[in-house]
Amino acid sequence: PCVLEFGNQTTRGGFAGEDTPDLMDASTMGLLEATEDTPRRLFELNPHVMPQYDDFSVVRPLKNNMFLDTDLAEPYLNYFVKDRLCAEFENTPMFLVEPAIHNKEHRVNMTQMMFEKFQVPSLFFHKAPLLALYVFSGENAMIVDVGANTTYATPIVEGFISSKGVMKADFGGENLTNDLAL
């Protein structure tokens, strides 16, 4: 299976059985809008060389681990899985890592896209805090996950996430870096 974890700053991906992700790419992409001759296209952004096109923009398809623009989700996944991981959707089961608090509508949309557009053979979602706990073979813990723009504190009791105790703050490492740089 292909394992994918989407983040505000980076997207991580690889294959089950590996110790670390094979790929960690920036979630910021370049976008060329469709013209008469070419379709809308996402590409890896080199911050040192910015294209000078009228129809070019810098985009972040993700915010808080959810796709902001569902029109960008398909080309983003195509780029990441096909171009960067060199995997074929039709032959590769997908394992998606999600945060402790997740939007059910997003999960439904993602499931629909994976099966209908990409025709994946199977799809599985798992919560990131539980995966972190499995590393330590424990049943009870408080998992604190600090991302680029969000921080989650997730209590896990006897191997289950205590949903009422999950706390989310829209503050993360990127905010801290910006505040310290002043």
Side-chain angles (χ1 to χ4, degrees):
C2 181
V3 181
L4 299 174
E5 182 179 13
F6 304 109
N8 295 332
Q9 191 71 26
T10 58
T11 298
R12 290 158 296 285
F15 296 96
E18 300 293 323
D19 290 336
T20 59
D22 293 330
L23 184 61
M24 199 158 106
D25 264 357
S27 294
T28 305
M29 303 290 292
L31 174 69
L32 279 174
E33 290 295 340
T35 63
E36 292 177 8
D37 303 330
T38 60
R40 189 178 201 199
R41 189 169 70 92
L42 279 178
F43 58 91
E44 187 174 2
L45 188 64
N46 181 343
H48 304 292
V49 181
M50 291 295 214
Q52 300 298 317
Y53 300 111
D54 292 335
D55 53 356
F56 169 78
S57 58
V58 176
V59 295
R60 280 193 171 179
L62 300 159
K63 181 165 175 66
N64 298 333
N65 303 347
M66 289 187 258
F67 285 104
L68 292 173
D69 184 346
T70 52
D71 293 337
L72 290 179
E74 187 177 349
Y76 183 75
L77 284 166
N78 248 330
Y79 163 78
F80 197 81
V81 175
K82 280 189 167 184
D83 298 345
R84 300 291 286 147
L85 286 173
C86 301
E88 292 297 324
F89 283 104
E90 299 82 13
N91 303 325
T92 310
M94 293 289 157
F95 184 101
L96 303 179
V97 180
E98 62 184 9
I101 300 173
H102 212 253
N103 185 329
K104 182 180 177 184
E105 181 182 332
H106 171 68
R107 185 186 288 180
V108 169
N109 291 341
M110 191 67 141
T111 301
Q112 183 177 359
M113 180 178 29
M114 285 293 190
F115 284 117
E116 291 179 4
K117 292 191 181 195
F118 295 118
Q119 300 175 350
V120 297
S122 61
L123 177 67
F124 186 77
F125 292 90
H126 208 297
K127 304 279 187 198
L130 286 173
L131 293 173
L133 182 63
Y134 295 159
V135 171
F136 299 105
S137 301
E139 289 186 349
N140 302 310
M142 173 63 81
I143 304 293
V144 178
D145 182 8
V146 180
N149 296 341
T150 54
T151 299
Y152 290 94
T154 309
I156 301 175
V157 180
E158 296 180 9
F160 294 96
I161 292 176
S162 174
S163 298
K164 292 181 181 178
V166 176
M167 295 172 60
K168 176 187 172 198
D170 289 326
F171 182 85
E174 200 171 271
N175 304 102
L176 186 60
T177 300
N178 292 338
D179 288 348
L180 291 174
L182 296 176

